[in-house]
């Protein structure tokens, strides 16, 4: 492994390498019926890489072999999971204090690393191949067939890489180096338990050489829906179908980016009446199905929150994406149970403290009806302990430090771009 890659976790200026630009969350399918009826992980364009991975826990980056193919794997670990839950490292909880000596951008010199490895079989076709990580704590480097692909940080955000040039016909090896700490750990000083590892889903996406990259669906309570598309390759027209809540097609139109479709007298979305409409986007042999809601969020001159012009009182809670036994790794049952418990106690609003939750959780909030404040994955609370509450020295360390601005912006932009199509989101939080 080259020394330049070893040093990157201590560099604020490098937020990622070769990571794809953030897009809205969706999973493509190859046919319309499957896109509507099947779960995301059943898509024929998606290959789930969850399961047992070979695993090596190194106490220090210096223990990583120069040739990662020579790593001596003696154990395995499930993905997704947090390695502290399997006896590696130790579970830590801090509120204000950083869990390491304050010396930005440096953290521990003995920075434990989890080395993950597995193989996948690939039949090469005339297509693009991507790998998606929904959540990795806290910084990771990706290798395909022992070749460096790229790196990413931002623990609770999606990271996608184009591995078309790295994957070959037949069996391919994936190696992921996950570091316990990195420079941006200074931005992740939330008051919570500290867990590490690949803790959310990992999957491959096989897509046409030219395809939709990003989708922004903007419904208005008047019934107008504006569509913005971004493409890999040339711009293409898209066939868009709108489905009512009973499954009937109420609009079918071929449009380009920037054009609109109208729905007559739409049922509006609120937490009490979470009316959703299905949107099927067909382009370049792919079918992408999303649920949308018509709602308008604003504030009155009196400072009231108005949803579709009606004053709404929020009865909210802070929610961590966590489980007492599995740490950051939560199942869809965990997420659903949280929402049911909240509904039973007349809670109508969730703040995703202190980071974006799993994207499937937001889709559940859309469907079951919960107002959501989506919070960015950043907090620099520990600076107060080092420099004093609200002191000028404290503010200059992180909040007003221009060298940290790219990391702040990267995290905020990725949150909004991933979650922008969720009707449940009524506000965005820049951090805790």
């Amino acid at each position: 492994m080259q020394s330049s890659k070893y040093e990157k976790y201590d560099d604020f200026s490098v937020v990622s390498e070769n990571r794809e630009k953030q897009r809205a969350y969706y999973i493509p399918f190859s046919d319309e019926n499957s896109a509507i009826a099947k779960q995301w992980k059943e898509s024929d364009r998606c290959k789930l890489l969850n399961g047992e991975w070979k695993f090596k826990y190194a106490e220090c980056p210096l223990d990583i072999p120069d040739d990662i193919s020579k790593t001596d794997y003696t154990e395995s670990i499930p993905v997704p999971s947090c390695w502290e839950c399997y006896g590696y490292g130790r579970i830590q909880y801090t509120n204000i204090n950083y869990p390491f000596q304050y010396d930005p951008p440096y953290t521990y010199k003995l920075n434990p690393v989890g080395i993950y490895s597995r193989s996948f079989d690939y039949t090469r076709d005339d297509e693009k191949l991507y790998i998606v990580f929904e959540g990795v704590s806290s910084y990771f480097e990706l290798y395909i067939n022992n070749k460096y692909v790229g790196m990413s940080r931002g623990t609770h955000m999606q990271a996608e890489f184009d591995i078309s040039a790295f994957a070959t016909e037949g069996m391919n090896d994936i190696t992921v180096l996950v570091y316990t700490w990195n420079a941006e750990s200074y931005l992740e000083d939330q008051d919570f338990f500290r867990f590490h590892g690949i803790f959310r889903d990992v999957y491959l996406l096989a897509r046409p050489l030219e395809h939709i990259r990003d989708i922004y669906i903007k419904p208005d309570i008047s019934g107008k829906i504006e569509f913005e598309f971004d493409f890999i390759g040339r711009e293409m027209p898209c066939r868009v179908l709108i489905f009512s809540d009973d499954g009937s097609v109420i609009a079918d139109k071929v449009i380009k980016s920037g054009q609109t479709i109208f729905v007559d007298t739409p049922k509006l979305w609120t937490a009490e009446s979470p009316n959703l409409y299905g949107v099927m986007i067909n382009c370049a042999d792919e079918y992408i199905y999303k649920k949308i809601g018509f709602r308008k969020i604003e504030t009155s001159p009196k400072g009231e929150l108005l949803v579709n012009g009606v004053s709404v009182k929020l009865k909210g809670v802070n929610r961590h994406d966590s489980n007492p036994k599995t740490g950051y790794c939560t199942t869809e049952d965990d997420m659903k149970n949280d929402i049911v418990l909240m509904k039973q106690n007349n809670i109508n609003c969730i703040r995703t403290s202190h980071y974006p939750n799993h994207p499937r959780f937001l889709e559940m909030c859309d469907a079951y009806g919960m107002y959501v404040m989506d919070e960015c994955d950043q907090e620099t609370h520990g600076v107060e302990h080092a420099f004093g509450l609200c002191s000028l020295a404290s503010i200059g360390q992180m909040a007003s430090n221009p060298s940290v601005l790219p990391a702040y912006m990267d995290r905020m932009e990725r949150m909004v771009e991933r979650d922008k199509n969720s009707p449940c989101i009524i506000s965005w939080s820049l951090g805790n």
Side-chain angles (χ1 to χ4, degrees):
M1 187 174 64
Q2 299 177 9
S3 60
S4 61
K5 299 184 182 68
Y6 161 66
E7 296 296 336
K8 283 172 186 168
Y9 65 77
D10 280 339
D11 189 344
F12 271 126
S13 69
V14 185
V15 296
S16 68
E17 281 187 336
N18 300 326
R19 187 183 68 206
E20 292 294 293
K21 184 178 178 182
Q22 185 64 51
R23 58 170 174 82
Y25 174 74
Y26 63 81
I27 300 294
F29 285 75
S30 290
D31 68 274
E32 180 180 312
N33 290 335
S34 295
I36 295 174
K38 291 185 177 181
Q39 297 293 319
W40 69 268
K41 61 186 68 175
E42 298 176 295
S43 169
D44 61 340
R45 292 192 172 275
C46 176
K47 181 179 179 67
L48 196 63
L49 298 181
N50 293 356
E52 288 292 317
W53 289 49
K54 293 185 288 185
F55 185 72
K56 174 74 173 180
Y57 184 78
E59 292 288 351
C60 174
L62 294 175
D63 294 334
I64 303 171
D66 290 335
D67 183 350
I68 57 172
S69 67
K70 299 187 182 302
T71 301
D72 180 21
Y73 298 101
T74 57
E75 297 175 344
S76 65
I77 196 169
V79 169
S81 70
C82 300
W83 67 53
E84 287 88 353
C85 299
Y86 291 84
Y88 302 99
R90 61 177 182 173
I91 300 174
Q92 292 179 294
Y93 173 84
T94 64
N95 183 355
I96 298 176
N97 293 347
Y98 284 110
F100 40 77
Q101 181 176 339
Y102 185 84
D103 184 24
Y106 306 107
T107 53
Y108 284 124
K109 289 303 180 187
L110 292 176
N111 188 359
V113 184
I115 308 174
Y116 294 76
S117 181
R118 67 157 290 164
S119 299
F120 68 91
D121 192 16
Y122 179 52
T123 302
R124 177 166 284 282
D125 202 349
D126 193 23
E127 63 187 9
K128 288 271 194 181
L129 184 65
Y130 299 91
I131 187 169
V132 180
F133 296 83
E134 292 291 356
V136 181
S137 177
S138 64
Y139 156 89
F140 73 95
E141 297 168 356
L142 171 66
Y143 296 79
I144 301 292
N145 297 322
N146 301 315
K147 295 181 180 178
Y148 177 71
V149 176
M151 54 77 80
S152 179
R153 43 191 173 203
T155 291
H156 294 86
M157 285 306 307
Q158 187 184 82
E160 183 172 20
F161 297 88
D162 182 352
I163 59 171
S164 309
F166 298 89
T168 59
E169 185 81 18
M171 296 304 295
N172 292 263
D173 294 324
I174 302 174
T175 304
V176 183
L177 275 58
V178 181
Y179 294 79
T180 300
W181 311 110
N182 72 95
E184 288 189 28
S185 295
Y186 282 95
L187 307 187
E188 295 184 2
D189 192 39
Q190 294 98 327
D191 49 324
F192 63 175
F193 285 96
R194 315 302 172 108
F195 291 97
H196 303 89
I198 305 174
F199 65 91
R200 287 182 184 164
D201 303 303
V202 183
Y203 50 91
L204 301 171
L205 291 178
R207 310 195 62 185
L209 291 177
E210 295 184 315
H211 60 266
I212 284 182
R213 188 194 72 82
D214 193 22
I215 298 166
Y216 190 10
I217 307 172
K218 296 184 281 187
D220 183 87
I221 59 173
S222 66
K224 182 180 74 171
I225 311 172
E226 183 181 349
F227 291 83
E228 290 184 8
F229 304 125
D230 187 40
F231 298 89
I232 297 295
R234 62 190 171 89
E235 183 174 347
M236 296 173 279
C238 300
R239 183 188 178 197
V240 177
L241 285 77
I242 310 296
F243 297 83
S244 67
D245 54 1
D246 64 4
S248 59
V249 177
I250 56 176
D252 183 348
K253 188 176 181 181
V254 176
I255 63 172
K256 294 182 178 180
S257 182
Q259 294 184 325
T260 59
I261 293 177
F262 286 87
V263 171
D264 291 333
T265 58
K267 297 179 181 178
L268 302 186
W269 186 97
T270 69
E272 294 75 25
S273 302
N275 298 304
L276 294 175
Y277 290 74
V279 175
M280 179 66 70
I281 300 169
N282 171 216
C283 183
D285 298 322
E286 286 188 323
Y287 293 82
I288 298 169
Y289 187 64
K290 295 292 292 182
K291 292 288 189 72
I292 65 166
F294 293 87
R295 91 288 188 273
K296 183 178 182 180
I297 308 298
E298 57 188 333
T299 54
S300 74
K302 297 179 181 180
E304 300 168 294
L305 172 69
L306 303 180
V307 179
N308 305 328
V310 177
S311 179
V312 170
K313 179 179 287 186
L314 299 180
K315 299 180 180 179
V317 295
N318 297 319
R319 178 188 182 270
H320 273 290
D321 221 359
S322 63
N323 179 291
K325 293 184 178 180
T326 58
Y328 297 162
C329 180
T330 56
T331 66
E332 293 197 13
D333 283 342
D334 291 332
M335 302 175 200
K336 181 178 178 180
N337 289 340
D338 281 355
I339 294 176
V340 170
L341 183 62
M342 293 174 195
K343 284 285 188 178
Q344 289 173 340
N345 287 275
N346 299 315
I347 291 166
N348 67 354
C349 184
I350 297 168
R351 171 184 172 226
T352 67
S353 58
H354 303 296
Y355 42 79
N357 285 185
H358 195 293
R360 279 291 297 132
F361 180 74
L362 295 178
E363 291 186 336
M364 292 181 187
C365 290
D366 294 338
Y368 291 106
M370 296 294 291
Y371 298 120
V372 174
M373 173 188 283
D374 204 2
E375 187 154 278
C376 190
D377 192 6
Q378 53 193 16
E379 177 181 350
T380 59
H381 210 161
V383 179
E384 292 181 1
H385 180 75
F387 286 86
L389 180 63
C390 295
S391 70
L392 292 177
S394 170
I395 294 172
Q397 283 289 306
M398 292 288 169
S400 298
N401 187 339
S403 68
V404 189
L405 183 61
Y408 284 140
M409 295 303 297
D410 176 67
R411 289 163 180 263
M412 289 185 280
E413 289 171 1
R414 288 162 71 195
M415 171 184 68
V416 173
E417 292 294 343
R418 191 196 73 169
D419 299 339
K420 61 194 173 190
N421 292 317
S422 293
C424 66
I425 297 174
I426 61 170
S427 67
W428 307 93
S429 167
L430 302 183
N432 187 40

